Amino acid sequence: MPDTSSEPAPVILGNEPGAFPHGVLAERHPAIIRQVREAFPYDPERQRALDALLASCADGVIEPLPADADARDRRRWADWGLDAYAGRSWFDVPWLWAESHFYRRLLDAVGYFGPGAWEGLDPFRPAKLAELDAPETDEELAALDDLADLPADERTRALLHGSLWGNRADLGFRLSDSDGGTGTKDRVRALVADDSDALWSLLPPAGTSASAPNATGPITLCLVADNAGRELVPDLLLVSHLLGQGRVDRAVLHVKPYPYYVSDATPADVLDALRRLVAAGGAAAAYGDRLWTALTDGRVTVRAHPFSCAPLPYADMPGDLRADFAAATVTVLKGDLNYRRLVGDRWWPPTTSFTDATAYFPGPVAALRTLKSDVITGLTADTEAALVASGEQRWRTSGTHALIQVRR
């Protein structure tokens, strides 16, 4: 493991009672185990394994991977720090690491890695599908029909905000200020940083392509996805829109290779969301059809790199993934977990430079994130002071604020 003794900010741990990370380890993880157990008719062996993990979350220690774990996976986790952390309390290792390892052990408990009847079955799939099938999803997709009448720049802005706010994406599609106090003006005020102009400056104007006189190669967007379901749908819509506008020639969608953090997107989730778009009719189907075609002709690719499930910051990414990002015109990282991995899950002073924190990244990078954990960088002193003065104690973790940050 890297020496962090000289780092400017301490790594976030989960060992402070009452703090948000402690609550995730002590309360959220046990609740997830119970929900997973109730979602499937697991056999007695699986139930015993879930009970053991539940007990371990309360007062146990981190254990090595099972003896029958895949040899490559065992090597990866050894490289990722398991040998150093085995035998220690879940609460006394880096919070990012403990959270990530919990989901790896949960998949072991339900038999995901097999062999057996439960091999390859996503324990979170029922919740993901229920969200895609919810009436709210119908409403959000129907709202796309109204976007066609907007000027191109407003349509682009709406889709960007839809991707930013995730399962509040309907607020991004409906550019109205009369929706009960949750309209565009309120959402803009909820942005603690907004570098959207810098993001668009990294892409050419609509209608540009790789064959344009000044183009040096395909304009490539890497989008590192976050959640599945209603949060993945607006990500796919944004990619489809940028392809349709000619602002990108290619898109690479990075997802998780296996179920992770309850709702993180996998290749199967991408297909579910795409089918949902195609079947929706109207403008949604047009967006979906464009993506379907782009996948079949290679303009859009889906990648599930093992490091996407690593319990480490992107500063430790392997060379092949670094090369992937380096080749992109811009890489957009979605969501809270990716932000923690991008800047490092540390107690940074909020005014820490986002540019400095991401200087290692091998190309232009943007973060689209609703705030759901403590780590934050790139705020101005005035913004930080206003947030503190607002009296909202949980502004860092409640998901009521968001940011668009860019390092060119």
Side-chain angles (χ1 to χ4, degrees):
M1 299 297 293
D3 178 13
T4 61
S5 59
S6 60
E7 294 290 345
V11 173
I12 296 177
L13 306 179
N15 57 3
E16 181 182 345
F20 183 75
H22 187 276
V24 169
L25 298 178
E27 300 171 16
R28 182 183 298 177
H29 286 180
I32 289 169
I33 294 171
R34 297 185 188 99
Q35 291 167 4
V36 166
R37 181 169 177 163
E38 294 171 359
F40 289 91
Y42 287 118
D43 56 72
E45 180 182 1
R46 298 297 109 217
Q47 293 181 45
R48 287 191 294 270
L50 288 167
D51 288 342
L53 181 59
L54 184 62
S56 177
C57 288
D59 53 17
V61 297
I62 295 166
E63 299 177 1
L65 293 183
D68 59 355
D70 178 78
R72 289 174 299 177
D73 205 27
R74 293 173 66 86
R75 287 195 296 271
R76 287 191 196 106
W77 277 94
D79 291 341
W80 293 344
L82 181 55
D83 290 348
Y85 294 144
R88 297 176 62 179
S89 166
W90 293 90
F91 297 89
D92 292 335
V93 304
W95 180 45
L96 174 65
W97 198 98
E99 271 200 290
S100 299
H101 191 62
F102 165 79
Y103 288 100
R104 176 61 179 81
R105 297 314 303 264
L106 179 61
L107 293 181
D108 276 331
V110 300
Y112 179 86
F113 294 108
W118 302 102
E119 183 177 3
L121 292 178
D122 184 347
F124 312 121
R125 185 168 173 79
K128 293 174 178 178
L129 291 179
E131 188 174 274
L132 273 181
D133 293 337
E136 293 85 354
T137 305
D138 292 326
E139 296 174 5
E140 291 163 6
L141 294 180
L144 284 168
D145 293 336
D146 298 330
L147 288 186
D149 297 328
L150 294 177
D153 59 341
E154 289 189 30
R155 189 162 64 250
T156 300
R157 179 165 60 95
L159 290 167
L160 176 67
H161 279 258
S163 179
L164 170 65
W165 288 101
N167 62 8
R168 295 168 62 187
D170 57 325
L171 304 181
F173 298 149
R174 296 171 183 158
L175 293 180
S176 166
D177 294 326
S178 59
D179 54 1
T182 57
T184 301
K185 290 181 179 177
D186 289 306
R187 286 187 295 101
V188 169
R189 283 194 292 267
L191 282 175
V192 298
D194 184 5
D195 294 341
S196 51
D197 288 344
L199 173 59
W200 298 132
S201 75
L202 294 169
L203 299 176
T208 304
S209 70
S211 60
N214 295 326
T216 59
I219 302 153
T220 302
L221 167 71
C222 270
L223 193 148
V224 184
D226 186 33
N227 291 333
R230 287 171 61 208
E231 297 195 34
L232 180 60
V233 166
D235 296 342
L236 298 183
L237 293 172
L238 179 62
V239 170
S240 180
H241 172 73
L242 293 175
L243 286 169
Q245 290 286 303
R247 301 198 70 171
V248 301
D249 299 306
R250 298 180 60 251
V252 183
L253 184 64
H254 285 261
V255 295
K256 304 299 190 296
Y258 51 77
Y260 195 62
Y261 277 69
V262 180
S263 56
D264 280 26
T266 67
D269 298 319
V270 174
L271 295 178
D272 286 337
L274 181 58
R275 291 191 186 102
R276 183 71 169 87
L277 284 174
V278 171
Y287 282 93
D289 288 339
R290 184 187 297 123
L291 272 179
W292 191 287
T293 300
L295 281 161
T296 60
D297 65 25
R299 286 177 295 137
V300 174
T301 55
V302 178
R303 296 190 182 162
H305 195 286
F307 191 78
S308 293
C309 288
L312 302 175
Y314 281 108
D316 296 335
M317 75 180 86
D320 61 333
L321 187 58
R322 178 176 291 272
D324 215 23
F325 293 145
T329 306
V330 60
T331 298
V332 175
L333 287 91
K334 276 294 310 295
D336 196 78
L337 174 60
N338 281 324
Y339 188 86
R340 292 164 61 191
R341 298 185 69 194
L342 175 64
V343 304
D345 204 33
R346 297 176 176 274
W347 290 109
W348 299 111
T351 55
T352 299
S353 167
F354 176 78
T355 296
D356 290 348
T358 59
Y360 70 89
F361 203 84
V365 62
L368 303 185
R369 175 214 184 189
T370 54
L371 278 58
K372 298 178 182 177
S373 65
D374 289 299
V375 65
I376 185 74
T377 67
L379 298 190
T380 66
D382 287 346
T383 298
E384 181 189 10
L387 288 165
V388 173
S390 72
E392 184 181 350
Q393 299 299 316
R394 298 179 59 245
W395 65 267
R396 292 174 180 250
T397 61
S398 63
T400 56
H401 293 79
L403 57 80
I404 302 171
Q405 291 177 324
V406 174
R407 195 221 72 208
R408 290 182 278 195

